[in-house]
């Protein structure tokens, strides 16, 4: 799987804008990028929540309801930061799918 870094992503969006079959505006591409990044952040957060379920926090300063809340917020921020870096590559696949779906809808194949 090829992961798009910032330079490759710029080339990708320019190619998408210059392609005759693609009629998405720059605003639509930014919106698709934001949606794909949000999805990747959510995916990573849920994955990390599963990973952290088995970690025991027993001890004099561990455990309790507040720690559960704090851990949830911490993992959410971890997921957002990992999605910004784009090291996993989920964002790229989701963005391609969003663009394909928008193209199919704009060509009249999907009615909604």
């Amino acid at each position: 799987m090829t992961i798009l870094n910032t330079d490759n992503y710029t080339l990708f969006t320019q190619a998408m804008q210059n392609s005759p079959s693609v009629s998405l505006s720059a605003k639509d591409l930014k919106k698709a990028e934001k949606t794909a990044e949000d999805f990747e952040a959510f995916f990573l957060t849920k994955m990390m929540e599963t990973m952290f379920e088995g970690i025991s926090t027993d001890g004099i300063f561990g455990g309790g309801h507040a720690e559960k809340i704090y851990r949830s917020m911490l993992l959410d921020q971890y997921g957002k930061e990992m999605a910004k870096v784009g090291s996993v590559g989920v964002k790229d696949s989701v963005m391609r799918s969003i663009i394909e779906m928008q193209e199919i809808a704009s060509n009249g194949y999907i009615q909604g």
Side-chain angles (χ1 to χ4, degrees):
M1 173 196 301
T2 303
I3 299 172
L4 297 176
N5 60 24
T6 306
D7 296 332
N8 290 340
Y9 177 74
T10 302
L11 293 174
F12 173 72
T13 55
Q14 288 172 353
M16 293 300 290
Q17 288 175 338
N18 295 332
S19 173
S21 66
V22 177
S23 60
L24 297 175
S25 67
K27 181 181 176 183
D28 289 338
L29 285 173
K30 281 289 187 191
K31 189 174 179 181
E33 177 186 11
K34 174 71 173 129
T35 302
E37 187 174 306
D38 289 346
F39 178 83
E40 183 172 4
F42 176 78
F43 172 77
L44 291 170
T45 298
K46 292 301 174 186
M47 183 180 68
M48 286 187 290
E49 283 177 359
T50 303
M51 290 170 40
F52 277 78
E53 278 180 0
I55 295 177
S56 175
T57 57
D58 297 335
I60 193 164
F61 295 110
H65 184 67
E67 183 167 338
K68 289 180 184 179
I69 293 171
Y70 173 75
R71 182 178 288 175
S72 174
M73 293 187 315
L74 179 65
L75 294 177
D76 186 48
Q77 288 302 311
Y78 282 165
K80 288 178 182 177
E81 290 301 315
M82 289 171 68
K84 282 182 190 176
V85 173
S87 60
V88 177
V90 173
K91 173 184 166 181
D92 302 327
S93 297
V94 171
M95 187 163 168
R96 273 189 230 105
S97 295
I98 290 171
I99 291 170
E100 287 174 12
M101 288 172 40
Q102 293 226 352
E103 280 303 307
I104 291 170
S106 68
N107 289 334
Y109 297 117
I110 298 176
Q111 297 177 2

